[in-house]
């Protein structure tokens, strides 16, 4: 899935866990982070059902429009909910932050596109969703799957 989906799930996870007021705060933090990280695997598996091309398509107007909506929606959610639900939102997006932010930056610094491949978390995601792929149609490049 994309940023808004991960943000919304992270917010809901944090809301639900923080309602468990009998839990010590440390347990709440561990539960929020663990469930939000796991939710990333589930949502990215379900992403096979949505328009989510694996590579950028800047010449495609639908791709550009969709990404404008996605990033605007993500920015709006961050603006509205950051102060209270930052932990759930970061934890739910940590895998993308690490793989697409941290490792990409380090690859550019090192001038080596293959550097750090063994540290990508998305490689584990591929193993997680491999057995489920036979049950899910791959609509990632179908414009109609935006809905």
């Amino acid at each position: 899935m994309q940023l808004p989906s991960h943000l919304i799930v992270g917010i809901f996870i944090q809301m639900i866990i923080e309602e468990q007021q009998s839990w010590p705060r440390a347990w709440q933090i561990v539960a929020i982070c663990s469930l939000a990280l796991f939710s990333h695997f589930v949502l990215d598996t379900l992403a096979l059902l949505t328009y989510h091309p694996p590579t950028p398509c800047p010449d495609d107007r639908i791709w550009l429009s969709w990404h404008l909506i996605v990033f605007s929606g993500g920015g709006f959610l961050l603006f509205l909910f950051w102060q209270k639900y930052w932990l759930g939102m970061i934890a739910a997006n940590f895998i993308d932050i690490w793989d697409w932010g941290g490792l990409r930056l380090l690859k550019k610094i090192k001038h080596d596109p293959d550097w750090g491949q063994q540290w990508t978390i998305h490689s584990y995601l591929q193993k997680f969703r491999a057995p489920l792929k036979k049950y899910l149609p791959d609509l990632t490049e179908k414009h109609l799957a935006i809905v």
Side-chain angles (χ1 to χ4, degrees):
M1 293 285 180
Q2 295 182 341
L3 179 64
S5 304
H6 291 298
L7 292 174
I8 290 168
V9 170
I11 290 166
F12 282 131
I13 288 170
Q14 187 168 344
M15 282 178 172
I16 292 166
I17 297 300
E18 286 181 343
E19 285 180 6
Q20 309 308 313
Q21 294 177 358
S22 62
W23 292 12
R25 183 65 182 152
W27 289 11
Q28 290 179 352
I29 291 169
V30 168
I32 290 166
C33 292
S34 300
L35 290 171
L37 281 168
F38 180 71
S39 77
H40 196 101
F41 281 75
V42 174
L43 287 178
D44 274 14
T45 299
L46 295 175
L48 291 169
L49 302 171
T50 67
Y51 179 65
H52 199 107
T55 57
C57 307
D59 295 332
D60 181 349
R61 286 184 181 182
I62 293 175
W63 184 88
L64 286 172
S65 301
W66 177 239
H67 278 77
L68 179 64
I69 292 167
V70 166
F71 288 121
S72 298
F76 182 70
L77 289 167
L78 286 166
F79 176 77
L80 281 181
F81 296 105
W82 179 259
Q83 190 170 359
K84 185 161 174 63
Y85 299 108
W86 62 269
L87 179 61
M89 291 192 291
I90 288 175
N93 284 284
F94 178 78
I95 293 171
D96 287 341
I97 293 167
W98 173 254
D99 283 358
W100 309 138
L103 285 180
R104 277 192 186 166
L105 176 63
L106 291 171
K107 287 177 185 189
K108 286 183 181 185
I109 291 170
K110 297 209 175 263
H111 303 290
D112 181 358
D114 295 324
W115 186 88
Q117 280 303 115
Q118 70 272 25
W119 298 319
T120 62
I121 302 171
H122 278 86
S123 61
Y124 295 101
L125 169 66
Q126 298 305 329
K127 292 174 186 171
F128 175 82
R129 76 176 173 183
L132 302 172
K133 280 181 108 170
K134 63 183 169 191
Y135 301 108
L136 299 173
D138 186 352
L139 305 176
T140 55
E141 298 193 41
K142 307 285 186 205
H143 290 142
L144 290 175
I146 285 175
V147 181

